[in-house]
Amino acid sequence: MKSDVPLRSSLLLKLMALSMLVTACSIIATAWLTVHSTAVAIRQEQGQVLDGEHKIYDTLLGYAATHHDWRGAGPLVKRLAEQNGQRITLTDTSRRPLVDSAPAAEAKEQPLPAEASTTVDPLAVDKVPGTGRTAKAAADVPCTSAESAEPGLGCRTANGSPPAPATGSIDPRAVGPFLLKRDERRIQNIRVAKAANCLREEGWNVGITERPTGRSVIEIPAPEIPLPDMCGVKMVDLPLPTEADALKQLDKLVAACLTRQGAPAVSMNLDMSWSQKTKKVGPANYQTVSSCVDTGRKEQLLPYVTVPALLFLGRPAQTTSTFLDLSPTNRARIAGVTALVLLVTTLFTAVAGLRMVRPLRALVTATRRMTAGDLSTRVRIGANDEIGSVATAFNAMSEQRERSEKLRRSMVSDVAHELRTPLSNIRGWLEAAEHGIAVPDQALLSALVGEAVVLQHIIDDLRDLSAADAGELRLMRERVDIADLLDQVATAHQGNAKEAGLRLETRCVDYPEAVADPVRLRQAIGNLVSNAVRYSRPGGHVTLSARTEDGQVVVEVADTGDGIAPEDVPRLFDRFWRAEGSRSRQTGGSGLGLSIVRKLAEAHGGTATARSTLGVGSVFTLRIPVEP
């Protein structure tokens, strides 16, 4: 896009000229002082930075996996920052600070980088800790000698169940409700020690290791070789009470997910593998089960881990070695050239800065006045450069905000318009029944119920207008008799029509039907009838007609009002727009009703249009497909 700022007035050109001048002086002043740094030193520094960042990430990930919030992470973050010589900041996903190693004043002066270094989330780890492989790569290892490969299902154990899954995206230190109590750890340690000593006496080379849950287990150099059924090995593998309760909870979460997916139920094991319950899990359901297991584990661990945090790492202190000749003569030259560069740079920066800051100060003053509530404030546009363009944009924004504020202030009356019609109908019929004018028969009750439903849906539509704009308005479709629907609308508005001195009638060429939402469709037609009654002259008539045409049901609401100017017809369905004259606020029209009519028609896959003749009347047409 071509710039509207002349090149000679371009702020970019001015800044480039100033930058080139300062750069030239700096190069001349520092060229003879610069020496190369060795590639080995650079590689060493880069390696130290990567190692330090990996250590920071792993340490914070371990904290996140074992704590439910970040409130106590301050000392840990400061210690890591001191050890690695860089600033460490943790924020939530909205970039609100959680923990910062820098002092508050320094943190305010130094904004965070545009992008985070990584995300610390124990339930969504990019790498498997200690291996450097992604979770997918860790899960793609070949089957062991104790497992067999089954087509479509992957590796299977001897009893036919899948093996324990890879760590995947969940950090193994996140154990949640599986964390053993002190007494349970002591009991398990005794069992494991006895079993391990017995196996060693039988000639087995075994060791003892402790998992993050606190459970001690027997470990052998070749894990693919199963341990013999001796020395109480089975007793060692039995779940303890805490683990049993956690497994029951996990079973419920996985079962709920599988039920929603229509997959067969499974039973979770302590090593996070699962066993089949009622029937064999086929290839089509294996991925579903695995996904539900992962989802269930994350849902179970969610209360025990911290919320995901964005990790921002500042640049570490540089230690690159340089070699300079700091003799007295060179030091004098350095001091002289530095002073000259500083003087020239200061003068040019001051001149350019003053010219650029003046309009910026005007913008700041105008912004503060706008913040204080003065939406009529404007900025006087000076030079035709980028800052002038900013001033123009600011003025346009100010005008837009002033219009939006006026629109916001009229929102209450606009919404009241949509609620007034069904409430007036209900009140009119109830007062007529109270004074004996109308008989409270089934037809009257049905009309009142229908108006109450329309009232409820109007309230829902005001909340769901944004969903309608996105095409996500929910419809309860069924086959609708359009002639019967028109009779219901006419009955509901008959009282208002008589009060206005109008004749309200329906006319159907055939017996059209459509698959639509009857409540939504009645609401749309009711809005059109309400507008027609409101803007028609006494003694006139309003006609509701329907016919089938080219696979569509065409509903027309014709009135004998004053009509609408041709230039106003295209804007009739705009939200919150009202024409002048006959459609002024004094008559109750707000423009929101017709906007809802168009959205409801579009939600049914149809259209809403209008045509009008001044002095004759208007015809509003609603077209919806017979079949969706």
Side-chain angles (χ1 to χ4, degrees), residues 19-91:
S19 176
M20 291 175 62
L21 177 62
V22 174
T23 302
C25 294
S26 299
I27 292 175
I28 296 173
T30 61
W32 60 279
L33 299 175
T34 305
V35 295
H36 68 276
S37 299
T38 63
V40 174
I42 295 176
R43 284 197 296 267
Q44 288 178 348
E45 290 179 4
Q46 290 176 342
Q48 291 173 359
V49 171
L50 292 176
D51 290 342
E53 291 180 353
H54 181 271
K55 178 182 177 182
I56 292 171
Y57 171 76
D58 188 67
T59 303
L60 294 177
L61 190 64
Y63 180 94
T66 54
H67 295 75
H68 66 277
D69 59 46
W70 291 101
R71 285 182 291 185
L76 175 62
V77 170
K78 289 184 178 180
R79 185 171 67 252
L80 290 173
E82 291 174 357
Q83 293 174 351
N84 294 273
Q86 58 189 125
R87 178 186 175 188
I88 301 175
T89 306
L90 289 170
T91 72

Side-chain angles (χ1 to χ4, degrees), residues 421 424-426 428-429 432 437-438 443-444 447 451 486-506 526 529-530 533 540-544:
T421 299
S424 299
N425 291 335
I426 293 174
W429 282 111
I437 300 174
L444 176 59
E451 288 301 309
L486 294 184
D487 290 338
Q488 294 178 25
V489 174
T491 300
H493 291 80
Q494 197 66 247
N496 290 339
K498 289 182 179 180
E499 184 179 348
L502 301 172
R503 185 174 72 256
L504 181 61
E505 58 185 16
T506 61
V529 173
S530 176
V533 170
H541 62 274
V542 176
T543 304
L544 285 74

Side-chain angles (χ1 to χ4, degrees), residues 65-145:
T66 54
H67 295 75
H68 66 277
D69 59 46
W70 291 101
R71 285 182 291 185
L76 175 62
V77 170
K78 289 184 178 180
R79 185 171 67 252
L80 290 173
E82 291 174 357
Q83 293 174 351
N84 294 273
Q86 58 189 125
R87 178 186 175 188
I88 301 175
T89 306
L90 289 170
T91 72
D92 60 14
T93 53
S94 300
R95 295 176 69 97
R96 288 190 293 267
L98 298 173
V99 186
D100 198 336
S101 64
E106 181 180 344
K108 185 178 295 186
E109 294 177 357
Q110 298 179 0
L112 296 175
E115 295 184 2
S117 299
T118 186
T119 300
V120 181
D121 186 359
L123 301 185
V125 182
D126 293 335
K127 299 290 184 180
V128 178
T131 65
R133 296 177 296 162
T134 63
K136 181 180 185 302
D140 291 339
V141 297
C143 299
T144 65
S145 60

Side-chain angles (χ1 to χ4, degrees), residues 345-405:
T345 303
T346 301
L347 289 176
F348 277 90
T349 303
V351 173
L354 288 174
R355 294 178 61 87
M356 290 186 292
V357 166
R358 189 179 298 110
L360 291 177
R361 286 178 177 172
L363 280 172
V364 171
T365 302
T367 303
R368 289 174 177 171
R369 291 177 58 189
M370 180 179 290
T371 303
D374 183 8
L375 299 182
S376 62
T377 183
R378 300 292 185 271
V379 178
R380 186 169 59 85
I381 300 174
N384 187 21
D385 55 9
E386 284 83 351
I387 297 180
S389 299
V390 173
T392 302
F394 176 87
N395 291 338
M397 178 192 68
S398 181
E399 294 173 0
Q400 179 63 32
R401 283 199 59 185
E402 190 172 12
R403 289 194 297 268
S404 300
E405 180 65 16

Side-chain angles (χ1 to χ4, degrees), residues 473-526:
L473 192 64
R474 292 173 293 181
L475 301 177
M476 304 297 293
R477 295 180 185 268
E478 59 182 70
R479 186 160 292 280
V480 179
D481 186 337
I482 303 299
D484 182 57
L485 186 69
L486 294 184
D487 290 338
Q488 294 178 25
V489 174
T491 300
H493 291 80
Q494 197 66 247
N496 290 339
K498 289 182 179 180
E499 184 179 348
L502 301 172
R503 185 174 72 256
L504 181 61
E505 58 185 16
T506 61
R507 182 186 307 156
C508 292
V509 176
D510 46 18
Y511 297 93
E513 291 186 349
V515 177
D517 186 328
V519 177
R520 299 287 190 180
L521 195 56
R522 185 165 62 248
Q523 176 187 349
I525 299 174

